[in-house]
Amino acid sequence: MRRLWICGLLLLWAFGAAAQTVYVPWNARRTLRCTTAQGRELRPCRMRGDTLDRQGVRFVRLLRLQIVLCIGQSNMAGRGPLDAAARDTVAGVWLLDAEGRFAPAVEPLNRYSTVRKELGMQQVGPAGGFASAFVGMTGRPVGLVVNARGGTSIDEWIGPKGQLLDAALARLRAAQEWGEVVGVLWHQGEADAAHPQRYEACLRLLVERLRAELNDPRLPFVFGQIARWNWTRRPEGTAPFNAMLRGLRLPHTACVGSEGLEPMKDESDPHFSAASQRELGRRYAAALLRLQEMNKLTEK
């Protein structure tokens, strides 16, 4: 039944493409304030069904979304080239935009990040591959909140100012009326690869703060290994850092491996290719699903 609802909404979106489309939360009683393509302002009005057409605007009520926060540095922001596969919307996947609304997701998914670098740098990351796979695994639509910034260290996320994490949490709170937060995906570490010995404590602080802020002590948190080839110019390369990540034991977390993934350009580059980003995303999806299933088992 859920799959039929998703397909129905996608068909509705396709047939209504000629009209301006505005999506409203699953539990909304009223439409959102919006401006028509002709510049007229439409004030909120009663939303009695799943769709409402007013003066060339089609309001569509989304199903309750599985909301996932995607944060980290450049690989999460996306540096894989925008290839042909990145041109279309991702079926069943919705992206939180700059106005705090969800719309059909299309790459680059870090476009609305409030902390990103210039738009031209945002390309294919793991979020799209994750969300597409997760929709297929669960049969429920996914809402992505992507708020990454390239070149950042973990200290910039958890430090005294904590502005990067604060910015991500602000967007996540705006998204919560559209569904429930089911997990956090974290891909970061290139900036910290030379210091694996202190990273574990930092990551623990990040997870603890996220769970405290969201009032969810069992919030699933998935983190990924960085590239395995030696782009660091240090003899040991990334092996010690990746081994540390694999060995971390944090409750309700999982580590996603980077084995078999390929570089965007060559082995002097820490970024994954577009195809490898999508594969990494599928690994994130499988890991998050396993954490969810484990949480369900321990609840019984």
Side-chain angles (χ1 to χ4, degrees):
M1 181 62 71
R2 286 172 177 167
R3 290 179 185 273
L4 290 175
W5 272 100
I6 295 169
C7 292
L9 278 176
L10 292 173
L11 285 171
L12 182 62
W13 171 71
F15 285 119
Q20 181 179 338
T21 304
V22 176
Y23 299 92
V24 299
W26 62 280
N27 61 345
R29 295 184 178 181
R30 304 178 71 81
T31 64
L32 300 169
R33 180 190 298 267
C34 79
T35 303
T36 70
Q38 293 75 34
R40 295 192 302 272
E41 184 179 272
L42 296 183
R43 294 183 177 275
C45 69
R46 183 76 174 171
M47 186 87 181
R48 289 187 168 83
D50 291 325
T51 64
L52 178 66
D53 293 312
R54 291 185 66 213
Q55 300 184 42
V57 177
R58 170 160 292 177
F59 294 92
V60 178
R61 191 196 307 274
L62 290 184
L63 293 176
R64 185 177 176 89
L65 298 175
Q66 302 180 95
I67 298 172
V68 179
L69 175 65
C70 304
I71 51 177
Q73 61 178 113
S74 55
N75 269 312
M76 181 59 80
R79 296 294 186 264
L82 291 167
D83 54 14
R87 294 174 185 168
D88 296 328
T89 55
V90 186
V93 182
W94 309 84
L95 180 66
L96 189 72
D97 67 16
E99 297 179 340
R101 302 174 182 175
F102 279 95
V106 63
E107 301 279 7
L109 297 176
N110 200 49
R111 66 174 69 214
Y112 299 118
S113 170
T114 54
V115 298
R116 64 167 171 78
K117 296 182 178 180
E118 54 265 33
L119 181 60
M121 294 181 68
Q122 317 310 312
Q123 300 192 67
V124 176
F130 156 78
S132 181
F134 204 63
V135 169
M137 292 171 178
T138 63
R140 294 176 54 200
V142 169
L144 293 175
V145 180
V146 189
N147 223 67
R149 179 177 174 84
T152 53
S153 69
I154 195 169
D155 288 330
E156 293 177 81
W157 289 85
I158 63 169
K161 294 183 179 179
Q163 295 171 336
L164 295 178
L165 190 56
D166 287 343
L169 285 166
R171 297 196 71 219
L172 191 59
R173 292 189 184 100
Q176 285 183 286
E177 67 173 315
W178 299 77
E180 58 184 330
V181 180
V182 300
V184 176
L185 309 186
W186 169 257
H187 202 281
Q188 187 277 335
E190 292 86 355
D192 299 282
H195 308 288
Q197 65 278 3
R198 66 178 298 271
Y199 195 84
E200 177 176 357
C202 294
L203 194 61
R204 286 183 184 275
L205 286 174
L206 176 68
V207 174
E208 288 170 4
R209 183 175 170 199
L210 277 165
R211 289 174 174 167
E213 293 282 353
L214 296 171
N215 194 29
D216 184 355
R218 294 155 59 93
L219 177 70
F221 183 94
V222 186
F223 51 95
Q225 290 182 326
I226 61 177
R228 296 195 169 203
W229 54 88
N230 190 5
W231 48 267
T232 68
R233 299 182 181 178
R234 296 187 301 273
E236 69 277 15
T238 61
F241 190 83
N242 279 333
M244 175 274 300
L245 289 178
R246 180 63 76 187
L248 286 181
R249 296 294 180 266
L250 302 175
H252 313 293
T253 71
C255 177
V256 171
S258 59
E259 61 274 6
L261 302 184
E262 298 179 347
M264 184 180 75
K265 294 187 297 185
D266 55 43
E267 293 194 355
S268 67
D269 188 343
H271 301 115
F272 301 115
S273 67
S276 288
Q277 289 279 24
R278 294 186 181 102
E279 171 57 26
L280 183 64
R282 289 188 284 269
R283 296 177 188 181
Y284 269 108
L288 180 57
L289 186 62
R290 285 194 298 271
L291 287 175
Q292 287 185 326
E293 290 172 344
M294 290 172 62
N295 276 348
K296 289 178 183 177
L297 287 174
T298 57
E299 288 173 358
K300 294 180 180 179

